[in-house]
Amino acid sequence: MKAENLLASASINIGVAMFILSLFSILKKQPSNAPIYYPRPISLNHHIFLDERFTFSRFLPSLEWVRRASRVSEGQILQQCGLDVLVFIRLFKFGINFFTVSCVVGVLVLLPLNYIDGDRLSSQFHSVNSFTISNIKGGSNRLWVHLSCLYFISCYGLYLLYKEYKDIWLKRIQQLHNLRHRPDQFTVLVREIPFCNEHKAYGCCVDHFFSKHYPSSYQSYQILYDCEELEKLLIHGKSIRERIEKLTQQSLTNRYTRRSDSSKIEILKEMLQDVCRKIRHIRGEAMLSEKELPVAFVTFRSRLGAALAAQSQQHSNPLVWITGIAPEPRDVLWSNLAIPYRHLPLHEIVVFLLASLLTIFFAIPVTAIQGIAKFEKLRKWFPPAMAVQLIPGLRSIVTGYLPSVILNFFIYIVPFCMIAMAQMAGYISRSKKDIKACNMVFYFLVRNAFFLSLLSGSLLDQIGESFTHPKDFPSHLASAVSAQADFFMTYILTNGLFGFSLEILQPGLFMWNYIKSHTWHRGKRKTAYLNSIPYYRIIPFVALSILIGMVYAIISPLLLPFLVGYFLLGYVVFINQIEDVYITYYETCGQYWPCIYLYILVALILMQITMVGVFGLKSKPSASISTIPLLLLTFSFNEYCKRRFVPTFHKYSMQDAKKNDELDEQNGLMEANLQNALDAYCPPFLRPVDFEVEESCSTQPLISPK
């Protein structure tokens, strides 16, 4: 890559980022934009100090939001937002710590070494490639320095991973202790309940089974119902109520339409009465018994009893009486609980096929992007492209900046496709759905945005050779990686500077709020735009940047300073977002960390495999062989972590359950926490409605009697 191409990309991205961040700092000071940039404090009824006077300082850019973000501690994040959010922020801190040390090694050791060893008469000596390992002569003993740096960086990465894993593991145990009032610690989700032919229901089987096998700890149960019709009626009833309120308000302000509005209101009230009668009919005991599902939430008198029931096989046939730890009530996806457990493998197959189709179709734009990035190929395929050379500097923009922008545009839609597929998979909680989407997005990006970008030049040939000669895969990978260093450098610049700047500005929401407040919503009270952190949209892209950085840490150390800037900017941006914008819809107590750990481990392994191939290409087989012990060390480290830490993230230990039970009994909190659990798992469609004629919509008892 020519230096002017990299300079063009860096200049455009830095200029755009500075403009967007300056615009954000101005817009954030305007009181009218508080619903966009301060929705979290508004929802928590916190006071926001915004100067409403027309002053010059309101329209000057400032770095106050950066200073404020830098003062936020991990303890504050954990207390206010939970462990999931802290794990999310720790991902950025891992990137800062890892790439700062790697940058020091790369800039002070590898960059001078690569530059000095090159051929000064070579055409690439005055290009960016002169700072990469491709500038080292084949068989040079200087490659041992690269091997030493590889060992140092890999061992430092493993040390950071272990340190993070242990710290988050301890925080998870403490968080479960701090949240011991949560109802999910007393509750078990039971699926595939056998049907009782005698009573023609599922509920009596639940009561009989758990009363018999858990007589000392079983408390009660909540059977679930297939009430799709009831949900539609509730939505319809709420829409009628809103229309009544709107017409009532309109009749008070406009006396000319008062008579017609009154007649419309009477008609709507009759419709609402009819809807309420239908709701009351469906909620009748006889109707509900016909709609029972083989799914129930079972409440126990102690956490120990719930943990034993959730984590053990209840029947000799593993496909009946399937138990698991219940998700917390706000995390439950009620509609997915109606999907039969036996049908879930079919849903998984459909999701796999859809993801495969998306992968295949995505190959088309990625291959086209690489054609733009390589101007020589572009001229060969599309001769009119030579006209680009006629305008000074345009070629640098087209080949250095445009490909990364197009790639970011196409992969922006991937998370939304994956979250829709994860919804189809039938997961019972938002957290499991989001974690599944995270995994799908990350591995999609690794396949398509990374490997496909590497191999798109001669895709089919190289894939075919990799399958027929697996031992040659490292050398193929190393050759492709070395050739694409320039493209990924511009990708990191675009994804970081441009992407994070747009994240904090939220231009789409800003435009929507502006249009809304100046048209149909003018004069009305503004509501805050509340959203949860889109983990599935952010974590995979950050993990991909870590993977790119690790793979190129030894090959092209010039990339490392850009990555340090990427993670520093991402850190302050998302600290601002979690403080002022995003709210927490659920708390899994750190269950995202095992996935993040695996993403980083994949990056470390790819870095080491790539270097095996690089040393082979550089005619240094002894260095390639010396890399194998490092690979074995990495795999051994992973096996240790799987046995040492992973089980705690998926199970609730008997020791912790018993300890929390004893603590609650000492403090007299057991009864209150148990009652909270009994009331928490009522399906939304069985809760009291808030219609204007609510008295006609009486409900059945929320918890089925024991």
Side-chain angles (χ1 to χ4, degrees):
M1 182 184 192
K2 293 184 177 181
E4 56 265 27
N5 292 2
L6 177 61
L7 185 62
S9 177
S11 301
I12 294 172
N13 281 295
I14 292 172
V16 170
M18 289 182 65
F19 171 76
I20 292 175
L21 293 175
S22 300
L23 181 62
F24 161 74
S25 67
I26 295 171
L27 293 176
K28 189 169 183 172
K29 298 177 185 179
Q30 313 310 313
S32 61
N33 295 329
I36 303 171
Y37 300 118
Y38 291 100
R40 179 182 170 85
I42 291 173
S43 67
L44 298 174
N45 296 319
H46 293 172
H47 177 70
I48 307 168
F49 178 75
L50 291 173
D51 192 357
E52 296 188 7
R53 296 173 301 173
F54 190 83
T55 57
F56 186 64
S57 60
R58 269 181 55 182
F59 301 95
L60 283 178
S62 70
L63 294 176
E64 179 58 32
W65 66 275
V66 177
R67 287 191 291 269
R68 183 164 163 260
S70 64
R71 292 194 293 265
V72 176
S73 66
E74 288 191 359
Q76 290 176 276
I77 296 172
L78 183 61
Q79 182 180 5
Q80 297 173 8
C81 306
L83 186 55
D84 289 341
V85 177
L86 180 60
V87 165
F88 174 72
I89 292 299
R90 290 284 282 264
L91 173 62
F92 287 94
K93 295 187 78 171
F94 176 91
I96 293 169
N97 293 332
F98 179 82
F99 288 110
T100 299
V101 173
S102 300
C103 183
V104 172
V105 174
V107 172
L108 297 183
V109 179
L110 296 178
L111 272 182
L113 193 70
N114 294 338
Y115 189 78
I116 291 171
D117 201 55
D119 183 3
R120 295 180 181 275
L121 299 177
S122 173
S123 60
Q124 71 170 11
F125 185 75
H126 298 289
S127 70
V128 176
N129 291 335
S130 61
F131 296 100
T132 67
I133 198 172
S134 61
N135 209 40
I136 299 289
K137 297 173 183 176
S140 172
N141 285 327
R142 295 174 188 249
L143 291 169
W144 290 109
V145 178
H146 292 79
L147 179 65
S148 302
C149 291
L150 174 66
Y151 263 84
F152 174 78
I153 289 174
S154 297
C155 291
Y156 181 63
L158 294 176
Y159 162 74
L160 283 181
L161 273 179
Y162 176 79
K163 182 182 174 184
E164 291 288 322
Y165 221 144
K166 185 176 181 180
D167 190 41
I168 293 169
W169 173 74
L170 291 171
K171 280 183 167 59
R172 172 176 167 81
I173 295 172
Q174 184 61 41
Q175 187 77 344
L176 288 171
H177 172 77
N178 295 339
L179 299 178
R180 62 185 183 275
H181 62 278
R182 287 203 332 190
D184 54 298
Q185 296 194 11
F186 293 88
T187 310
V188 173
L189 176 65
V190 186
R191 308 184 78 173
E192 293 300 306
I193 301 167
F195 186 72
C196 177
N197 291 317
E198 181 182 352
H199 298 93
K200 304 298 181 184
Y202 292 101
C204 57
C205 280
V206 178
D207 185 64
H208 175 74
F209 183 87
F210 286 96
S211 296
K212 179 180 178 181
H213 296 97
Y214 298 90
S216 61
S217 58
Y218 167 63
Q219 175 68 25
S220 185
Y221 72 94
Q222 169 66 64
I223 201 75
L224 299 185
Y225 306 94
D226 183 10
C227 288
E228 184 178 352
E229 182 184 354
L230 181 57
E231 288 183 89
K232 291 179 180 178
L233 285 172
L234 288 170
I235 294 170
H236 183 48
K238 288 179 181 178
S239 68
I240 294 174
R241 183 202 61 191
E242 289 171 359
R243 288 166 64 189
I244 290 173
E245 291 175 352
K246 183 178 179 180
L247 286 171
T248 303
Q249 185 67 28
Q250 182 177 308
S251 66
L252 294 174
T253 57
N254 191 344
R255 60 189 180 90
Y256 297 106
T257 61
R258 188 171 299 169
R259 181 174 298 179
S260 62
D261 288 343
S262 298
S263 61
K264 291 178 183 177
I265 290 172
E266 289 302 318
I267 295 171
L268 289 172
K269 282 185 176 180
E270 290 178 8
M271 292 172 61
L272 187 58
Q273 289 278 7
D274 184 55
V275 169
C276 286
R277 280 193 293 271
K278 291 179 181 178
I279 291 172
R280 182 176 57 183
H281 175 68
I282 293 175
R283 283 177 168 176
E285 188 173 348
M287 286 293 293
L288 282 179
S289 62
E290 297 176 2
K291 297 178 178 293
E292 283 187 359
L293 294 171
V295 184
F297 286 106
V298 179
T299 305
F300 290 79
R301 295 191 181 98
S302 65
R303 297 174 185 83
L304 182 61
L308 283 169
Q311 296 167 178
S312 56
Q313 184 174 319
Q314 306 299 325
H315 196 272
S316 56
N317 180 1
L319 294 179
V320 297
W321 293 110
I322 299 165
T323 57
I325 298 172
E328 60 172 322
R330 58 182 178 166
D331 192 20
V332 176
L333 288 173
W334 298 96
S335 59
N336 283 357
L337 287 170
I339 300 173
Y341 184 82
R342 295 167 188 253
H343 294 176
L344 292 180
L346 296 177
H347 287 252
E348 291 283 355
I349 292 171
V350 171
V351 169
F352 174 77
L353 292 175
L354 290 174
S356 301
L357 286 174
L358 184 62
T359 300
I360 293 169
F361 286 122
F362 200 81
I364 299 170
V366 170
T367 306
I369 288 165
Q370 290 307 313
I372 298 173
K374 303 297 181 184
F375 188 73
E376 291 74 18
K377 291 183 180 179
L378 184 62
R379 284 193 305 179
K380 181 179 178 182
W381 296 342
F382 188 63
M386 289 188 292
V388 170
Q389 294 177 301
L390 301 177
I391 303 175
L394 184 58
R395 175 178 172 177
S396 298
I397 295 173
V398 169
T399 60
Y401 176 68
L402 192 59
S404 59
V405 173
I406 298 173
L407 179 63
N408 274 284
F409 172 77
F410 276 105
I411 63 178
Y412 178 77
I413 65 172
V414 170
F416 301 102
C417 297
M418 294 303 183
I419 196 66
M421 292 181 196
Q423 175 74 23
M424 293 172 56
Y427 290 99
I428 60 170
S429 64
R430 290 180 178 85
S431 57
K432 288 184 178 179
K433 179 191 71 175
D434 287 356
I435 290 172
K436 173 66 175 179
C438 260
N439 291 331
M440 292 173 69
V441 174
F442 174 74
Y443 292 113
F444 180 92
L445 292 176
V446 171
R447 287 193 305 267
N448 288 55
F450 183 70
F451 280 113
L452 197 56
S453 293
L454 291 178
L455 305 175
S456 57
S458 53
L459 182 63
L460 296 177
D461 293 340
Q462 295 199 41
I463 290 178
E465 289 179 15
S466 297
F467 278 115
T468 54
H469 302 92
K471 65 179 181 179
D472 296 333
F473 175 74
S475 60
H476 289 311
L477 179 62
S479 176
V481 165
S482 300
Q484 290 292 341
D486 50 356
F487 172 75
F488 286 113
M489 204 175 298
T490 59
Y491 168 81
I492 292 295
L493 280 168
T494 304
N495 184 255
L497 292 173
F498 189 64
F500 288 152
S501 301
L502 288 181
E503 163 65 33
I504 201 169
L505 181 64
Q506 301 187 68
L509 197 57
F510 174 78
M511 291 301 298
W512 169 256
N513 179 70
Y514 181 83
I515 295 170
K516 179 181 173 182
S517 59
H518 286 80
T519 52
W520 70 88
H521 212 260
R522 179 183 295 176
K524 297 181 181 179
R525 183 181 178 183
K526 294 183 178 180
T527 55
Y529 296 94
L530 288 172
N531 290 293
S532 64
I533 299 178
Y535 296 108
Y536 64 91
R537 186 169 60 83
I538 302 166
I539 290 176
F541 286 89
V542 177
L544 177 67
S545 297
I546 290 177
L547 185 147
I548 292 170
M550 286 184 171
V551 168
Y552 283 98
I554 306 297
I555 294 173
S556 182
L558 191 62
L559 180 66
L560 297 174
F562 296 114
L563 279 159
V564 175
Y566 172 93
F567 283 100
L568 285 171
L569 178 61
Y571 177 79
V572 295
V573 163
F574 283 104
I575 286 287
N576 175 84
Q577 298 299 83
I578 66 173
E579 282 286 297
D580 293 336
V581 178
Y582 293 128
I583 61 169
T584 304
Y585 280 155
Y586 57 78
E587 169 64 15
T588 69
C589 297
Q591 287 188 0
Y592 279 92
W593 175 251
C595 298
I596 292 173
Y597 156 82
L598 194 58
Y599 303 159
I600 298 172
L601 193 79
V602 167
L604 279 169
I605 292 170
L606 271 176
M607 173 179 68
Q608 294 159 12
I609 292 175
T610 303
M611 290 310 299
V612 170
V614 168
F615 291 135
L617 289 176
K618 289 295 178 181
S619 304
K620 204 69 174 176
S622 54
S624 294
I625 295 171
S626 300
T627 308
I628 294 175
L630 185 59
L631 273 167
L632 296 176
L633 173 65
T634 306
F635 283 114
S636 301
F637 171 81
N638 181 46
E639 287 300 314
Y640 171 78
C641 288
K642 281 167 62 178
R643 288 167 171 75
R644 176 68 178 85
F645 300 119
V646 172
T648 306
F649 285 83
H650 299 294
K651 295 180 180 179
Y652 191 20
S653 73
M654 302 299 111
Q655 180 189 25
D656 293 332
K658 183 65 176 176
K659 187 190 299 182
N660 288 335
D661 283 340
E662 291 173 349
L663 188 62
D664 272 5
E665 288 172 356
Q666 291 172 8
N667 296 329
L669 298 174
M670 184 64 85
E671 288 298 324
N673 289 337
L674 180 58
Q675 186 58 45
N676 182 36
L678 288 170
D679 297 337
Y681 287 96
C682 171
F685 45 79
L686 288 185
R687 295 169 189 161
V689 296
D690 54 354
F691 300 155
E692 191 170 326
V693 286
E694 186 175 340
E695 62 274 6
S696 65
C697 300
S698 58
T699 67
Q700 295 297 313
L702 301 186
I703 302 295
S704 300
K706 179 179 172 180

